[in-house]
Amino acid sequence: MKEKLLGKTLPELRELATSLGLPAYAGGQLAQWLYQKRVTDVESMTNLSKAARAALAERCEVGRTLPEEVLTSSDGTRKYLFPTSIPGQYVETVMIPQYEDGSEGGLARATACVSSQAGCKMACRFCMTGRGGFHGHLSAAEILSQLLGIEEAEQLTNAVFMGMGEPLDNWEEVSRALEVITAPWGLGWSPKRVTVSTIGVLPKLKRFLDESRCHLAVSLHNPFPEERAALMPVQKGWPVEEVIALLRGYDFSGQRRVSFEYTMFAGVNDTPRHADALARLLRGIECRVNLIRFHAIPDSPLRTSSPQAIAAFQARLQKSGITTTLRASRGEDIMAACGLLAGRGLHKDNTADL
């Protein structure tokens, strides 16, 4: 099997170049072809000699994966289905457009919601991805393909690692992808354009905070440990109290932000008692709470909170000094909204029975 060039860092590309008998600076040329000119084959790298291209092609391929299907929502959200190197497994990537005036007159932002794993180990009770079980980690090439392979690739303004999987459970490949995305020799994005979501994988969370300047989003969903454990089994291994204690050692008053994701379940986590406990838990952290309407999944006893309960919860948090927003629900009609990704295509059934 050939090596994939996509996902390699600049030092790795330089090392590859010298191993092929090329000058080290050819590694920089490779990076430019891969990440700035975004070629899909070695033959297109025309400032390399024909002999160099032949030697490179014999050992390596670009490694770009293309989507097999795309669905478009009534609100303009698009969901792409990508094959993976994991036998029989697919992942979904969501492109969320935001327009200047709420119409399609002028595109203000285009955000890619990127997957990092096929399936997920975390088994959160409210997530379709977790229901399907864990099937494998995506490579950095497969992660980057989601940003480079969608039709809106050139229009993207932001990326959120909030698709299928737990990004910090696949930290080595995710960190490699983040380096490519934000490095001057890579895509050259500001870290402020990228947000990584996690349920709180403590060992890797510290590495993320120390090694990356990208924004952080923590899936919290309940401030009470026992109640959170009923929704999120990970609470038993990495308690939210320890996650918050770690975050208190970092500064989020500057360019890097931390937000907390809070999906609203009727009668489960939407009471004044929960709002007050959440405010106490987060007191002193410069942060934002994003309230998310629960998107019902089959055979789940959970139900979304009423608009009145969500509004009252938001008002109570804001009165306590916690900046709180209600995230707009996008792409629900094509199963592209939060918690609904399952790696299924129109004509495929590649996940475990849900």
Side-chain angles (χ1 to χ4, degrees), residues 259-281:
S259 60
F260 294 90
E261 311 298 290
Y262 198 93
T263 302
M264 303 290 291
F265 306 106
V268 174
N269 67 348
D270 63 350
T271 70
R273 177 177 70 95
H274 290 91
D276 293 344
L278 182 58
R280 288 194 300 271
L281 181 66

Side-chain angles (χ1 to χ4, degrees), residues 18-66:
T18 57
S19 73
L20 293 171
L22 302 173
Y25 69 76
Q29 293 174 314
L30 291 175
Q32 186 178 46
W33 285 113
L34 289 169
Y35 303 126
Q36 294 166 23
K37 297 183 179 180
R38 304 185 180 190
V39 298
T40 57
D41 60 84
V42 171
E43 192 57 36
S44 298
M45 301 178 180
T46 51
N47 61 352
L48 299 179
S49 69
K50 194 168 184 178
R53 278 178 277 162
L56 183 62
E58 184 176 355
R59 177 170 162 183
C60 302
E61 61 183 357
V62 168
R64 175 91 68 85
T65 305
L66 296 176

Side-chain angles (χ1 to χ4, degrees), residues 37 54 82 84 95 102 125 139 184 186 190 209 243 257 266 279 342 350:
K37 297 183 179 180
F82 281 87
T84 74
M95 196 290 295
R125 307 296 185 220
S139 67
S190 165
L209 291 167
V243 173
R257 298 194 309 265
N350 301 301

Side-chain angles (χ1 to χ4, degrees), residues 89 131-133 135 344 349-354:
Q89 296 302 314
R131 277 196 176 189
H135 304 287
R344 288 173 174 237
D349 184 3
N350 301 301
T351 58
D353 290 338
L354 298 177

Side-chain angles (χ1 to χ4, degrees), residues 26-293:
Q29 293 174 314
L30 291 175
Q32 186 178 46
W33 285 113
L34 289 169
Y35 303 126
Q36 294 166 23
K37 297 183 179 180
R38 304 185 180 190
V39 298
T40 57
D41 60 84
V42 171
E43 192 57 36
S44 298
M45 301 178 180
T46 51
N47 61 352
L48 299 179
S49 69
K50 194 168 184 178
R53 278 178 277 162
L56 183 62
E58 184 176 355
R59 177 170 162 183
C60 302
E61 61 183 357
V62 168
R64 175 91 68 85
T65 305
L66 296 176
E68 290 192 2
E69 290 180 3
V70 58
L71 295 176
T72 302
S73 166
S74 58
D75 64 22
T77 299
R78 306 189 84 193
K79 182 172 73 169
Y80 291 85
L81 185 76
F82 281 87
T84 74
S85 59
I86 305 161
Q89 296 302 314
Y90 290 74
V91 295
E92 293 170 325
T93 306
V94 179
M95 196 290 295
I96 307 165
Q98 290 178 292
Y99 300 98
E100 293 283 4
D101 57 359
S103 69
E104 297 193 11
L107 191 64
R109 291 177 60 175
T111 300
C113 183
V114 178
S115 294
S116 55
Q117 296 177 313
C120 186
K121 300 175 185 176
M122 303 307 158
C124 295
R125 307 296 185 220
F126 47 86
C127 179
M128 288 277 282
T129 306
R131 277 196 176 189
F134 175 70
H135 304 287
H137 297 302
L138 299 188
S139 67
E142 290 170 320
I143 294 170
L144 291 166
S145 288
Q146 296 172 67
L147 294 176
L148 300 177
I150 64 175
E151 292 179 29
E152 299 82 4
E154 296 291 344
Q155 299 172 279
L156 289 177
T157 60
N158 297 82
V160 293
F161 282 68
M162 296 182 182
M164 297 173 64
E166 162 55 57
L168 298 192
D169 188 45
N170 187 19
W171 173 242
E172 298 304 326
E173 296 301 311
V174 167
S175 64
R176 179 184 292 272
L178 291 177
E179 182 177 359
V180 171
I181 292 167
T182 59
W185 49 262
L187 301 188
W189 286 24
S190 165
K192 294 187 294 184
R193 295 171 60 182
V194 183
T195 300
V196 175
S197 178
T198 180
I199 46 76
V201 182
L202 278 168
K204 302 300 173 57
L205 177 56
K206 187 174 191 317
R207 287 190 60 186
F208 168 78
L209 291 167
D210 291 340
E211 298 172 17
S212 172
R213 299 305 300 170
C214 296
H215 295 320
L216 173 68
V218 177
S219 294
L220 203 157
H221 309 299
N222 201 303
F224 296 108
E226 300 81 4
E227 295 181 21
R228 186 173 189 257
L231 291 170
M232 307 171 68
V234 70
Q235 169 67 22
K236 298 172 184 176
W238 295 305
V240 70
E241 312 93 289
E242 295 181 17
V243 173
I244 298 300
L246 175 64
L247 296 180
R248 290 191 185 280
Y250 292 83
D251 180 14
F252 296 101
S253 62
Q255 293 193 343
R256 180 164 63 176
R257 298 194 309 265
V258 61
S259 60
F260 294 90
E261 311 298 290
Y262 198 93
T263 302
M264 303 290 291
F265 306 106
V268 174
N269 67 348
D270 63 350
T271 70
R273 177 177 70 95
H274 290 91
D276 293 344
L278 182 58
R280 288 194 300 271
L281 181 66
L282 302 182
R283 186 168 293 133
I285 299 177
E286 189 77 22
C287 67
R288 175 186 302 272
V289 172
N290 291 320
L291 303 180
I292 303 167
R293 184 171 65 82

Side-chain angles (χ1 to χ4, degrees), residues 304-324:
T304 192
S305 302
S306 68
Q308 295 81 5
I310 294 174
F313 195 92
Q314 181 177 10
R316 200 170 184 96
L317 284 179
Q318 290 176 330
K319 188 175 180 181
S320 297
I322 304 292
T323 301
T324 310

